[in-house]
């Protein structure tokens, strides 16, 4: 399999930052806020790897507690539909719009967690609430659009809810016998009523890697399907029977003909579009190698110094991935300062 830069190839739901991203540039609320330093890893706080709510897994099968929580007017429900939720936008920030349980539509219901004040949060998959007349600051938004603008609590809740909703939407039948399955554990699993098998939310692990040469230059590539000037680091899905580190080396070789070693883990971020987990790595490429791109997926790939990046972004010759993506943070960790611009 060949992935594109930032885009593991295999069709449905490429875990890549894409065209729909607003030019949310530097200066948006720090994704670091509220993340204990020890949890930030080499990449700092990643936009979609934040949370401020206890997932309360022990409550998922406690039907009595769930009934009380759903009847509590203080309970807050996040409605998600096709990867989007209602958000209220203000300057350089966004907040999710929750509804009380009676206002939630019918649909799969997930317990998302309980906050420190004891407020329960649920997700429901269904039509979004009416944003109300003439309220232009409230509108539906995807994680790509809003992930970086949300606070820790809302970023975690929306990522959790979208991931579950996406899974239920495509996992309606038993993979063993074909019967229609039913949600259990507050939407965190499904059970087959015929053979009793349990099915858990699926994740597709994908690797995304910073490749540098002996001169400290970074390998950036452009996917053949991307509009001109967009570049990112390489990425691809982990294959069955393969370690993440092996996937890094294989993808780089397949896409650019470059052999790498010294593969090191940097950090991870969920990317539920529709169900990926992005695993960030660095790798070193010995010098003297010729880049040979896989013309199917990769239109071009080149080594860039930090000065190259600064100059080419400033001139509009290069465009880098948006801050919500792990690609952005990985490139930033190499660049050593806030990136000069992005999609
Ligand atoms: Zn079955």
């Amino acid at each position: 399999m060949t992935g594109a830069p930032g885009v593991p190839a295999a069709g449905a739901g490429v875990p890549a930052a894409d065209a729909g991203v607003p030019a949310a540039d530097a200066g948006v609320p720090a994704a670091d806020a509220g993340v204990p330093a020890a949890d930030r890893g080499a990449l700092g706080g990643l936009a979609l790897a934040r949370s401020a709510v206890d997932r309360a897994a022990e409550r998922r099968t406690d039907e009595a507690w769930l009934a009380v929580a759903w009847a509590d007017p203080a309970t807050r429900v996040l409605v998600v539909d096709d990867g989007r939720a209602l958000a209220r936008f203000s300057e350089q920030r966004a907040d999710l719009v929750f509804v009380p349980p009676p206002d939630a539509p019918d649909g799969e219901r997930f317990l998302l967690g309980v906050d420190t004040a004891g407020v329960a949060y649920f997700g429901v998959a269904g039509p979004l609430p009416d944003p109300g007349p003439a309220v232009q600051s409230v509108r539906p938004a995807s994680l790509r659009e809003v992930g970086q603008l949300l606070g820790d609590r809302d970023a975690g809740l929306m990522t959790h809810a979208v991931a579950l909703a996406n899974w239920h939407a495509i996992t309606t039948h038993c993979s063993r016998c074909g019967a229609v399955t039913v949600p259990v554990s507050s939407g965190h699993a499904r059970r087959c009523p015929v053979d009793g098998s349990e099915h858990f939310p699926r994740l597709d692990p994908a690797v995304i890697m910073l490749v540098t040469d002996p001169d400290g230059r970074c390998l950036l590539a452009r996917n053949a399907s991307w509009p001109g000037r967009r570049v990112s680091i390489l990425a691809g899905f982990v294959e069955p029977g393969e370690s993440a580190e092996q996937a890094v080396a294989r993808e780089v070789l397949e896409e650019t003909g470059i052999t790498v070693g010294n593969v090191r883990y940097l950090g991870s971020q969920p990317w539920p579009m529709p169900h990926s987990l992005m695993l960030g790595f660095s790798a070193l490429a010995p010098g003297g190698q010729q880049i040979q791109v896989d013309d199917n997926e990769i239109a071009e790939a080149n080594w860039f110094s930090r000065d190259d990046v600064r100059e080419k972004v400033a001139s509009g010759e290069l465009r880098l991935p948006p801050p919500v993506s792990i690609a952005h943070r990985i490139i930033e960790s190499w660049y050593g300062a806030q990136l000069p611009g992005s999609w």
Side-chain angles (χ1 to χ4, degrees):
M1 180 194 77
T2 50
V7 186
V14 283
D18 77 356
V21 184
D25 47 24
V28 290
D32 292 355
V35 181
D39 295 340
R40 289 181 193 164
L43 300 177
L46 291 154
L48 304 187
R50 296 178 288 152
S51 100
V53 167
D54 178 354
R55 289 192 170 218
E58 73 284 0
R59 298 296 194 188
R60 292 174 189 163
T61 53
D62 186 341
E63 296 302 333
W65 183 90
L66 289 166
V68 169
W70 191 256
D72 186 340
T75 290
R76 310 179 82 175
V77 181
L78 179 66
V79 182
V80 291
D81 185 25
D82 196 20
R84 303 193 303 168
L86 269 194
R88 178 175 291 103
F89 290 79
S90 54
E91 199 172 337
Q92 298 198 338
R93 178 183 177 91
D95 296 282
L96 295 176
V97 176
F98 297 90
V99 298
D103 294 351
D106 291 334
E108 303 290 5
R109 185 188 304 172
F110 334 116
L111 174 63
L112 299 176
V114 180
D115 71 14
T116 52
V119 175
Y121 293 83
F122 287 85
V124 168
L128 299 182
D130 185 347
V135 184
Q136 292 183 345
S137 61
V138 176
R139 57 179 169 83
S142 69
L143 282 170
R144 286 189 176 99
E145 294 170 279
V146 84
Q148 180 74 8
L149 302 175
L150 296 172
D152 290 350
R153 183 199 67 180
D154 287 5
L157 290 171
M158 184 170 173
T159 305
H160 189 177
V162 166
L164 284 172
N166 286 351
W167 174 67
H168 285 286
I170 61 167
T171 317
T172 53
H173 290 68
C174 177
S175 55
R176 295 187 185 182
C177 75
V180 173
T181 53
V182 292
V184 293
S185 295
S186 286
H188 289 75
R190 297 181 73 96
R191 181 176 288 127
C192 174
V194 175
D195 60 28
S197 58
E198 284 199 314
H199 303 266
F200 295 93
R202 176 181 151 187
L203 284 180
D204 290 339
V207 292
I208 180 160
M209 44 279 182
L210 171 72
V211 178
T212 52
D213 74 358
D215 295 328
R217 297 180 301 171
C218 170
L219 185 60
L220 295 173
R222 182 168 66 80
N223 185 319
S225 68
W226 292 353
R229 299 182 293 182
R230 281 189 187 183
V231 293
S232 187
I233 50 179
L234 300 172
F237 287 115
V238 180
E239 293 192 343
E242 182 180 55
S243 72
E245 290 82 354
Q246 288 173 314
V248 168
R250 176 183 53 75
E251 287 287 343
V252 176
L253 185 62
E254 284 178 4
E255 294 178 350
T256 62
I258 297 291
T259 300
V260 296
N262 258 312
V263 178
R264 294 283 180 269
Y265 176 70
L266 296 176
S268 68
Q269 151 158 290
W271 195 252
M273 286 73 114
H275 34 64
S276 286
L277 175 64
M278 303 301 295
L279 305 165
F281 288 87
S282 64
L284 300 179
Q289 302 189 67
Q290 200 69 35
I291 292 175
Q292 198 148 21
V293 298
D294 156 30
D295 288 322
N296 262 339
E297 303 284 341
I298 306 293
E300 54 184 326
N302 284 297
W303 297 108
F304 294 89
S305 70
R306 293 173 182 82
D307 287 343
D308 292 337
V309 166
R310 183 162 41 247
E311 288 161 17
K312 291 178 190 297
V313 169
S315 70
E317 203 177 324
L318 281 189
R319 300 183 71 193
L320 299 172
V324 70
S325 66
I326 190 172
H328 181 101
R329 301 307 291 265
I330 292 175
I331 297 169
E332 197 168 64
S333 75
W334 162 79
Y335 187 70
Q338 202 165 63
L339 292 178
S342 60
W343 301 346

